[in-house]
Amino acid sequence: MVRVRFAPSPTGPLHIGGVRTALYNYFFAKKQGGKLILRIEDTDQTRFVEGAEKYIQESLKWSGIHFDEGPNIGGEFGPYRQSERKELYRQYADQLIEDGYAYYAFDTAEELKALREKEEAEGHKFQYDSKHRKDLNNSLTLSKEEVEKKIAAGENFTIRLLVPEDEEIVFTDIIRGEVKVHSSNMDDKIIFKSDGMPTYHLANIVDDHLMEITHVIRGEEWLPSAPLHILLYRYLGWDAPEFAHLPLLLKPDGKGKLSKRDGDRLGFPVFPMEWTDPQTNEISSGYKESGYFPEAFINMLAFLGWNPGDEREIMSMDEMTEAFSLDRVSKSGARFDADKAKWFNHEYLQKYPMEKLVSAFKELLKKENIEEVCDDYIEKVIKAIKDRADFVEDFIPHGLYFFKRPESYDEVAVKKHWRENSVTNIGLIAEEFEKCEEWKADILENIVKEQIEKHEMPGGKIFNGIRILLVGASSGPHLFDILEILGKEESLIRLKEGIANIGQE
RNA sequence: CGCCCGUUCGUCUAGUUGGCCUAGGACGCAAGGUUUUCAUCCUUGAAAUCAGGGGUUCGAAUCCCCUACGGGUGACCA
């Protein structure tokens, strides 16, 4: 049975790169009939952010990524918050010390910082590794008695992994193939902090093992520490899971991975939902609030680094799950494209259930103080305008005139299309409209065309003139569809009022 | 700077067992059409000498090596 996990740290809002990682884990688990676990990695108390965990859970839920186990869900392998598993980790660190794979280190953070700065000033780099550990303050250099004394005296200590001096660490990444790192390039990472908490590295390995995780699918930024994790599994005597390191999501412009700042700078959301920073009250926009459908958002995100291998692009969660495979994930980072994101939403909007669109549009109209419009009418309007909308919110700029007579007429359009004889010509057409018994688009079209021919009117100016009177601008769907939807009475009022208004100018 | 990972149209990518690739699709862009608008729709087009250079081979985007460039990482953070 395949078991995978998504393990975010609640240090702020989850950004879309994280959502994508969760998504691929979800696809992988569902495809294999396995389980998806949510684990909160909150071993750093200093970076705790109020509301972040709740935000993460809600965002994932909105995105349609559902977990089989996790905090607030439960499961046999809980608790699923590392802060609640605190007591578990120490024994494994102790076991590593006993087996000679780890050691106590008494150097303070300040001492190490000073050392690092001094070495760097001289042009060297400092690493707590096989070269330096014998000169530092730890249980490898101190006598057993001294170590015991220090610990008994309550002196702060950390536990570091004893990395072998000369060994090639090799592992296979599902996406990248064989990855090799020489141990001489690795440092003796702290696995247990002086505050009594494990570091990510230890907690991660212990939990993945205890929770019987079979595949670790995470971002590429973890690739450099994977050899360390391999070592940890080996020293603890456990089988390592398989690894897959996902390519990063890059900034739309320039260089580097997508970051929090990019969204506001370039005008698109970097987060699934809106987030208010509890410290600064700074607001970061979200896909949800920007009008994206979760289905479109997820579809767009999935295609940043993966594709089904055929030419499908619009795919449901189920279709993508069915088609998903880790060996179809690309190796290189994907640059986020805001235009394509909009396109995805546009495609979903076209197929969205009409009754949902109607109620969403109704909400928007309410804000414009337009109420008590029947659903039938709203539906007709949506059908006429939705193909040119990317978001439900676009219905307002594209369709408000169906509910509200124009209060002014676009100057540029009037100048371009309104002629002195427009008053007479459109007046004639309006008279013919009065006689019309069956108010249908094609019939109205015939009436207009007959009149144009009969009186040798300039066609383009007539069409556009009528459009301006009805809409207030020279845009919108087919003219005769507008007339039909508006209905005879309203159309005639707009024509007459409009002729009076513009004609006087 | 060290180590690791990567490099096909502006962007996302197809191409994964070398020949069907004079490199395909999508977004975006441009032009034309829908003898009326338009932010829709349709058609067409421009757009990658497959980072560069060496090999291997009858044949390489696909295999190997080098270089360049890009990215990640280098905390008692995850």
Side-chain angles (χ1 to χ4, degrees):
Chain A
M1 156 87 91
V2 158
R3 291 175 57 81
V4 298
R5 86 301 197 275
F6 177 59
S9 182
T11 53
L14 181 65
H15 101 6
I16 55 177
V19 178
R20 195 199 52 175
T21 301
L23 187 61
Y24 286 3
N25 272 285
Y26 173 90
F27 288 154
F28 186 79
K30 294 294 155 210
K31 175 72 188 282
Q32 316 281 325
K35 298 272 190 245
L36 176 64
I37 291 100
L38 177 65
R39 187 173 71 220
I40 301 297
E41 309 233 325
D42 54 352
T43 51
D44 186 357
Q45 309 138 312
T46 63
R47 293 214 303 162
F48 174 82
V49 173
E50 187 69 46
E53 185 190 323
K54 191 172 173 232
Y55 174 93
I56 291 168
Q57 301 221 31
E58 284 175 358
S59 297
L60 260 9
K61 192 175 174 192
W62 176 74
S63 303
I65 300 170
H66 303 297
F67 291 83
D68 299 298
E69 298 171 25
N72 308 347
I73 301 165
E76 301 165 48
F77 297 84
Y80 293 92
R81 231 170 257 132
Q82 290 185 327
S83 57
E84 293 168 12
R85 326 180 101 235
K86 192 178 169 183
E87 316 312 323
L88 264 165
Y89 306 109
R90 180 62 196 271
Q91 58 180 295
Y92 296 102
D94 287 343
Q95 184 192 322
L96 287 168
I97 292 176
E98 271 169 45
D99 296 343
Y101 295 126
Y103 59 92
Y104 294 106
F106 299 97
D107 321 86
T108 66
E110 294 71 38
E111 283 165 4
L112 291 174
K113 195 182 170 211
L115 206 54
R116 203 164 274 133
E117 280 167 5
K118 183 179 159 247
E119 290 281 325
E120 273 164 20
E122 289 168 21
H124 308 294
K125 56 157 188 188
F126 172 78
Q127 232 184 212
Y128 206 120
D129 58 13
S130 57
K131 242 182 262 158
H132 294 272
R133 65 182 161 231
K134 50 185 177 295
D135 302 321
L136 290 156
N137 204 222
N138 54 50
S139 60
L140 300 173
T141 58
L142 266 22
S143 71
K144 203 179 170 195
E145 292 71 36
E146 280 176 298
V147 170
E148 279 166 5
K149 215 168 101 189
K150 276 174 182 288
I151 292 174
E155 198 170 310
N156 275 170
F157 65 86
T158 61
I159 298 173
R160 286 180 181 270
L161 192 71
L162 185 59
V163 171
E165 204 169 326
D166 178 25
E167 196 190 315
E168 194 84 57
I169 316 288
V170 186
F171 71 99
T172 303
D173 183 277
I174 296 171
I175 294 171
R176 284 149 219 288
E178 201 169 83
V179 177
K180 290 184 203 165
V181 181
H182 194 90
S183 64
S184 62
N185 293 312
M186 297 164 64
D187 65 336
D188 291 349
K189 275 272 177 310
I190 290 178
I191 55 175
F192 203 86
K193 298 184 273 187
S194 59
D195 66 359
M197 283 290 241
T199 60
Y200 166 81
H201 303 294
L202 211 220
N204 173 260
I205 267 65
V206 169
D207 287 345
D208 281 347
H209 177 257
L210 262 24
M211 294 181 180
E212 297 177 15
I213 299 302
T214 57
H215 301 258
V216 171
I217 304 168
R218 75 224 304 190
E220 192 184 348
E221 69 267 29
W222 292 109
L223 196 50
S225 50
L228 176 80
H229 300 160
I230 295 288
L231 238 33
L232 242 8
Y233 279 109
R234 190 196 295 168
Y235 292 160
L236 254 4
W238 298 337
D239 285 334
E242 293 201 54
F243 290 96
H245 289 92
L246 270 19
L248 263 15
L249 249 37
L250 272 19
K251 296 178 193 296
D253 63 338
K255 314 156 175 186
K257 62 175 171 179
L258 188 65
S259 72
K260 185 179 170 177
R261 301 252 164 251
D262 296 320
D264 306 323
R265 189 169 59 82
L266 273 6
F268 65 87
V270 171
F271 302 107
M273 304 196 309
E274 193 172 277
W275 163 260
T276 306
D277 188 303
Q279 297 287 308
T280 62
N281 280 330
E282 188 191 345
I283 296 174
S284 303
S285 64
Y287 280 84
K288 182 184 176 195
E289 292 75 10
S290 300
Y292 281 87
F293 296 117
E295 297 87 345
F297 168 66
I298 244 51
N299 194 162
M300 176 273 295
L301 215 45
F303 272 69
L304 253 25
W306 172 85
N307 71 80
D310 50 42
E311 290 189 340
R312 286 178 293 173
E313 289 211 77
I314 301 299
M315 295 175 79
S316 69
M317 200 77 156
D318 287 346
E319 288 168 331
M320 289 193 284
T321 300
E322 183 52 39
F324 190 78
S325 149
L326 279 175
D327 46 47
R328 292 208 60 84
V329 172
S330 9
K331 294 181 172 73
S332 50
R335 197 159 273 135
F336 177 81
D337 182 355
D339 279 327
K340 190 116 186 200
K342 271 188 194 168
W343 174 79
F344 272 105
N345 209 68
H346 176 266
E347 296 300 303
Y348 276 84
L349 180 66
Q350 305 316 309
K351 290 174 189 149
Y352 222 68
M354 183 49 83
E355 41 174 281
K356 288 190 180 176
L357 292 180
V358 168
S359 62
F361 195 12
K362 258 177 152 168
E363 288 302 308
L364 292 172
L365 287 169
K366 224 179 250 176
K367 288 182 197 157
E368 301 286 334
N369 293 318
I370 295 162
E371 296 186 61
E372 293 174 28
V373 185
C374 77
D375 287 7
D376 255 15
Y377 185 76
I378 294 177
E379 185 172 331
K380 277 187 206 159
V381 172
I382 292 175
K383 278 182 180 154
I385 63 174
K386 77 168 178 179
D387 62 356
R388 61 197 66 207
D390 292 328
F391 303 99
V392 172
E393 283 75 2
D394 294 341
F395 289 171
I396 290 296
H398 285 307
L400 190 59
Y401 60 86
F402 280 109
F403 305 91
K404 217 173 171 181
R405 287 176 200 157
E407 285 160 1
S408 64
Y409 302 91
D410 182 74
E411 278 180 44
V412 178
V414 170
K415 199 172 174 190
K416 192 173 169 193
H417 299 293
W418 196 261
R419 293 293 173 269
E420 275 180 36
N421 56 14
S422 292
V423 174
T424 331
N425 287 337
I426 294 175
L428 280 170
I429 289 168
E431 278 172 33
E432 291 304 311
F433 279 171
E434 297 257 22
K435 297 178 204 156
C436 179
E437 299 278 325
E438 206 182 344
W439 197 258
K440 288 274 175 225
D442 52 346
I443 293 173
L444 296 166
E445 186 167 355
N446 283 334
I447 292 175
V448 173
K449 284 184 173 168
E450 272 170 25
Q451 292 302 309
I452 287 174
E453 212 171 308
K454 190 172 164 191
H455 303 284
E456 293 182 344
M457 297 175 184
K461 302 302 171 201
I462 296 303
F463 286 117
N464 280 299
I466 297 173
R467 176 182 292 281
I468 289 167
L469 299 180
L470 298 175
V471 176
S474 92
S475 63
H478 275 11
L479 179 57
F480 301 98
D481 291 338
I482 298 176
L483 280 163
E484 182 181 319
I485 292 168
L486 245 23
K488 184 172 180 177
E489 190 185 348
E490 178 64 19
S491 295
L492 288 171
I493 290 172
R494 291 191 187 194
L495 291 183
K496 283 176 192 162
E497 281 187 2
I499 289 173
N501 292 340
I502 300 180
Q504 289 163 358
E505 289 170 11

